[in-house]
């Protein structure tokens, strides 16, 4: 499997207007349409992916040659012989384009929404590819994402980048960089580890942000 996946799709204007809560016959909708047409010409959303073996240690777990010491990650990956480590991004092309729109508040807002739309739309085809090519056996595809839960904090982004060859290699292949705060740039980027689970699982089950618009599962915490 190629470690860099490129996508050939574009968000629809209808979906973008719903995301922005704009009326279809409004002036704002006209501006959104113009900006989407610009974005389509340059957008290059992409994924960096590596399938790595899992080794269970006495008090930790290793993904490839990177050791993870957080008990929750070890618990979730027990029984897994491999994982798919990834970074999805809207792409530096859209990021640089959107930066030029920030001088106008409305255009900046729409451009940011377009970046998010590209990131959101690549999620489904990527997940389907992982299930088909990496985990074709019966089971539920689940993911762990550094920073989404206290049990695996955002500082672990650095180790995830190490799993993918290190920060320099990630930047060279897909343009994504890691700030001192461990946030990624382009900002509309996500990272994580996919694995096969016997039961359905989503990080959202343990996340207390009940108003999150991207919630995919009911909160099961205390």
């Amino acid at each position: 499997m190629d470690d860099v996946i490129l996508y050939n799709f574009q968000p629809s204007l209808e979906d973008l207007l719903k995301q922005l809560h704009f009326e279809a016959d409004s002036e704002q909708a006209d501006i959104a349409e113009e900006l989407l047409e610009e974005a389509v010409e340059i957008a290059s959303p992409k994924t960096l992916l590596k399938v790595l073996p899992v080794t269970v240690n006495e008090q930790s777990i290793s993904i490839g040659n990177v050791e993870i010491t957080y008990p929750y990650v070890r618990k979730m990956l027990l029984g897994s012989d491999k994982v798919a480590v990834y970074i999805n991004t809207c792409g530096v092309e859209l990021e640089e384009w959107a930066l030029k729109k920030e001088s106008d508040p409305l255009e900046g807002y729409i451009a940011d929404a377009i970046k998010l739309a590209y990131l959101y739309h690549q999620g489904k085809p990527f997940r389907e590819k992982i299930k088909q090519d990496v985990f074709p056996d019966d089971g539920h595809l689940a993911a762990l994402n550094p920073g989404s839960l206290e049990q695996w904090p955002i500082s672990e982004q650095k180790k995830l980048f190490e799993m993918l060859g290190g920060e320099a290699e990630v930047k060279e292949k897909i343009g994504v960089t890691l700030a001192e705060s461990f946030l990624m740039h382009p900002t509309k980027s996500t990272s994580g580890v996919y694995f096969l689970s016997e039961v359905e699982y989503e990080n959202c089950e343990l996340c207390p942000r009940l108003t999150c618009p991207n919630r995919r599962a009911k909160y099961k915490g205390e």
Side-chain angles (χ1 to χ4, degrees), residues 31-204:
I31 297 173
E33 183 175 14
E34 291 176 5
L35 292 180
L36 182 58
E37 289 174 354
E38 289 183 21
V40 167
E41 293 297 319
I42 61 170
S44 181
K46 52 186 72 73
T47 294
L48 178 58
L49 168 70
K50 278 193 178 182
V51 179
L52 297 173
V54 172
T55 304
V56 180
N57 311 314
E58 186 174 346
Q59 298 293 331
S60 63
I61 200 161
S62 293
I63 298 175
N65 60 1
V66 178
E67 185 180 28
I68 304 296
T69 58
Y70 285 85
Y72 186 73
V73 178
R74 183 181 185 276
K75 172 186 173 182
M76 295 303 296
L77 296 183
L78 280 176
S80 299
D81 62 349
K82 63 183 177 182
V83 295
V85 185
Y86 70 90
I87 296 175
N88 289 338
T89 181
C90 71
V92 293
E93 299 83 0
L94 276 183
E95 182 77 3
E96 293 172 355
W97 167 79
L99 286 173
K100 298 175 183 177
K101 306 298 180 181
E102 289 185 346
S103 59
D104 182 293
L106 178 59
E107 289 193 357
Y109 172 66
I110 296 171
D112 191 70
I114 290 173
K115 290 192 300 177
L116 182 60
Y118 269 95
L119 178 63
Y120 176 80
H121 278 76
Q122 80 187 81
K124 184 177 180 180
F126 174 60
R127 188 181 178 98
E128 291 174 349
K129 182 176 180 64
I130 290 296
K131 188 66 176 75
Q132 177 180 331
D133 296 350
V134 183
F135 301 108
D137 300 330
D138 291 338
H140 300 281
L141 194 61
L144 292 168
N145 312 92
S148 63
L149 297 173
E150 293 181 0
Q151 290 90 336
W152 200 23
I154 196 171
S155 57
E156 290 289 281
Q157 286 277 37
K158 195 169 185 66
K159 287 194 173 182
L160 187 139
F161 272 60
E162 290 176 14
M163 296 174 200
L164 293 170
E167 293 182 46
E169 185 167 333
V170 172
K171 181 180 180 180
E172 179 182 353
K173 288 187 172 182
I174 60 171
V176 176
T177 58
L178 197 60
E180 291 185 5
S181 62
F182 305 109
L183 295 175
M184 290 182 287
H185 184 274
T187 55
K188 296 303 183 286
S189 302
T190 60
S191 66
V193 174
Y194 271 118
F195 61 100
L196 203 61
S197 174
E198 294 182 357
V199 297
E200 291 189 59
Y201 168 77
E202 294 282 357
N203 284 326
C204 303

